[in-house]
Amino acid sequence: MGSGPQALWSGLISGQGRVVSTRSPESGQEVTAALVPRGTLDPRPGEDRALAMIRHTVEQLLRSEAWARVDPEQLGVFVGTTQGTIQTWTENQLRLQRAPGGAPPPWPWLADPARLVARLTGAGGPVECPSMACVSGTAALGFALQWIRSGRGPRWAVAGGVDAFSDMVHAGFRSLKAVDLNVPRPFDQRRRGLGAGEGAALLLLEGAEVPGAPRLLGWGLGGDANHLTGPHPEGLGLSRAISQALT
């Protein structure tokens, strides 16, 4: 959609799809996906793509008017991710294949995006990194709200999520026949799957009510452990989460 809240909003209301035929930022192979537009990021030498995206997002937050009210010592950070720094891991794996015999690289560091946000904002509160597949970023908002409401945690929270496009993850979804290679249509009877993409987003939550600002009224989280890739046919996990959010 672009960079910044206004670009996101304009893209949403335009009705134009962003899942297009493009080139993977990892391999250069042709893929159908929604990627961060070229030229948006200014990655530093050796910087993982996910970290470049979350750093770009934090820099926007620090320039916002709302940030002037924040006391970093009373700030918590909650950043969800599914893959963490998977680009770095992939590059290390390919390097190992070309020169076998070395130590295998560690799995992608899931907490690195949250650590980077905490360092850039100077947060003195809790730092959490929920990794719960597609709901990671949404769960981060819920955990942040829970901390603020508890009275034991921070007065403010930076919460959201980040994930970069990954050839490996994309291949996994394609093997499950879960990717629509054209335009995803989630509410259409002719739907054929999801659309791959990447992005980063952060919200600033505040314990005190701010006149005119949106409010996060509730949240819910439920799992049914029905199947690795399929929810319960009666939607038990979903209905439990909805009930919690409305309570």
Side-chain angles (χ1 to χ4, degrees):
M1 293 296 183
S3 174
Q6 186 57 50
L8 173 62
W9 178 246
S10 298
L12 288 174
I13 64 176
S14 71
Q16 297 180 359
R18 293 299 189 270
V19 180
V20 297
S21 178
T22 184
R23 296 285 177 180
S24 163
E26 280 190 346
S27 63
Q29 296 178 346
E30 186 173 350
V31 294
T32 301
L35 303 181
V36 173
R38 295 182 183 275
T40 301
L41 303 176
D42 183 23
R44 296 170 180 174
E47 185 176 40
D48 188 272
R49 187 171 177 84
L51 297 184
M53 285 195 289
I54 201 69
R55 177 174 57 81
H56 180 79
T57 308
V58 172
E59 289 169 353
Q60 294 179 49
L61 176 64
L62 296 179
R63 294 193 298 267
S64 67
E65 294 182 7
W67 185 255
R69 299 193 300 268
V70 177
D71 176 6
E73 286 299 316
Q74 295 293 320
L75 177 71
V77 170
F78 305 82
V79 180
T81 181
T82 304
Q83 305 158 181
T85 52
I86 196 168
Q87 182 189 42
T88 301
W89 178 84
T90 301
E91 292 173 352
N92 290 337
Q93 283 283 25
L94 294 175
R95 193 175 297 115
L96 182 63
Q97 290 177 11
R98 292 191 293 266
W107 193 248
W109 292 108
L110 297 177
D112 275 0
R115 290 194 190 105
L116 179 60
V117 174
R119 180 170 61 82
L120 294 176
T121 59
V127 179
E128 293 188 5
C129 173
S131 183
M132 308 170 72
C134 299
V135 302
S136 299
T138 305
L141 292 173
F143 293 145
L145 178 65
Q146 191 174 35
W147 262 105
I148 291 176
R149 283 182 171 177
S150 72
R152 300 179 291 106
R155 292 178 55 195
W156 293 271
V158 173
V162 60
D163 267 309
F165 180 85
S166 164
D167 285 317
M168 182 184 71
V169 175
H170 187 248
F173 278 114
R174 289 193 64 174
S175 69
L176 293 171
K177 303 185 187 307
V179 177
D180 189 333
L181 298 180
N182 296 304
V183 178
R185 296 164 293 182
F187 304 108
D188 195 304
Q189 290 184 345
R190 298 166 295 172
R191 60 187 179 273
R192 300 181 60 185
L194 56 81
E198 64 178 2
L202 295 171
L203 295 179
L204 177 63
L205 305 184
E206 186 171 346
E209 186 171 342
V210 179
R215 299 177 62 195
L216 181 55
L217 299 179
W219 78 295
L221 185 66
D224 50 45
N226 178 72
H227 186 269
L228 182 63
T229 60
H232 193 280
E234 296 179 9
L236 297 183
L238 180 60
S239 61
R240 189 179 300 119
I242 293 175
S243 296
Q244 292 175 12
L246 296 177
T247 302

